[in-house]
Amino acid sequence: MTLAGQVALVTGGGSGIGAGIAQRLARDGAAVLVADINLAAAEQVAAGIVAAGGQALAQRMDAAEPADAAAAVAAAEARFGRLRIAICNAGITDRVPVLELELAAFEKVVRTNLTGCFVSAQAAGRAMARGPDSGGRIVTVSSVSGQFGGTGRAAYGASKGGIETLTKVLAVELAPLGILVNGVAPGPTQIARTAHGPRQRAAFLDRMAIKRYATPEDIAGAVAFLCGPDAAFLAGHILNVDGGFAAAGVMYDPAEGA
């Protein structure tokens, strides 16, 4: 159990990728504070972890609210001990053409995704930096949508691109304190809020070397690696977990001719 004795906070842990990450970290031995704006969902995930023999606690948290972030960190430390791992995963999606996108909708996505990442990472970093034994791991969750222009992704893409730059700034500032900050950028992932239609699925799969969507477990495995001992010399790295999406250029079967 590579994370035995570690204490972790997972934002947006009540469903989807966040739930998968919380479950994986618990299986690897960490005690997990499952934080989500939907407390009932967080409680369900935490209960499942406990039923499987792990350690978990649920907490309601609006990731972009400093008071909520501080309270989540305090709850994790009061129950389990010193916080050493934080996964800044909370996020929402909005697919609206740019000329139709209302400012309020744009700001909601950016607040949840980018501001929420900053607030959560800051609260966790402050706890990890405390005292002479400072140190820990922070992992952000961005998206390949933050690396490319995609239709309907003005708000989502901007927020995820911002997370990737924020990750690098956090890494540079916090590494001297022993806090290693890295990120994962999922490609298309099969979760409830994905809801891609056949044309959108085809557009993704046509550019992917691995011809399937990711599962939350695929993303969680990469996060667990970044939290573990084998990632001790990584800082400011964005690990694409995207089935080869970002690596692709023109893809076709040469047997079909030019």
Side-chain angles (χ1 to χ4, degrees):
M1 301 181 77
T2 57
L3 300 180
Q6 301 294 303
V7 178
L9 164 67
V10 180
T11 72
S15 62
I17 290 173
I21 292 170
Q23 292 157 355
R24 173 60 187 267
L25 298 184
R27 286 201 306 273
D28 285 356
V32 182
L33 190 290
V34 183
D36 201 285
I37 199 165
N38 183 337
L39 178 58
E43 289 175 335
Q44 185 173 7
V45 172
I49 290 171
V50 172
Q55 299 182 77
L57 176 69
Q59 176 91 1
R60 186 191 180 281
M61 175 183 174
D62 179 340
E65 282 293 335
D68 281 13
V73 170
E77 295 198 325
R79 178 70 171 269
F80 300 120
R82 183 74 177 271
L83 184 73
R84 294 298 189 185
I85 295 171
I87 314 302
C88 303
N89 165 77
I92 59 175
T93 305
D94 192 3
R95 303 185 195 97
V96 180
V98 66
L99 298 183
E100 301 172 15
L101 181 60
E102 298 289 340
L103 177 59
F106 181 90
E107 291 178 336
K108 179 179 179 181
V109 172
V110 171
R111 178 187 182 277
T112 301
N113 298 0
L114 179 54
T115 304
C117 182
F118 165 72
V119 169
S120 302
Q122 184 184 62
R126 285 171 172 167
M128 294 175 189
R130 189 177 63 241
D133 61 338
S134 64
R137 305 290 177 92
I138 297 174
V139 180
T140 65
V141 180
S142 61
S143 168
V144 294
S145 289
Q147 302 169 5
F148 301 95
T151 54
R153 286 172 169 77
Y156 186 72
S159 71
K160 294 298 187 175
I163 286 173
E164 298 204 353
T165 300
L166 174 62
T167 300
K168 296 171 184 178
V169 174
L170 291 168
V172 169
E173 291 198 14
L174 300 184
L177 300 172
I179 303 168
L180 303 184
V181 186
N182 294 285
V184 295
T189 305
Q190 191 60 55
I191 57 176
R193 68 180 175 88
T194 302
H196 291 174
R199 293 180 61 188
Q200 190 170 9
R201 289 183 68 88
F204 272 116
L205 293 172
D206 282 350
R207 283 197 48 169
M208 294 171 66
I210 302 174
K211 299 297 185 182
R212 67 170 177 86
Y213 274 30
T215 66
E217 291 72 26
D218 291 322
I219 313 304
V223 171
F225 163 71
L226 291 173
C227 294
D230 290 335
F233 200 60
L234 290 179
H237 182 72
I238 305 297
L239 176 57
N240 277 33
V241 190
D242 64 356
F245 179 85
V250 176
M251 296 176 64
Y252 70 101
D253 184 353
E256 296 178 358

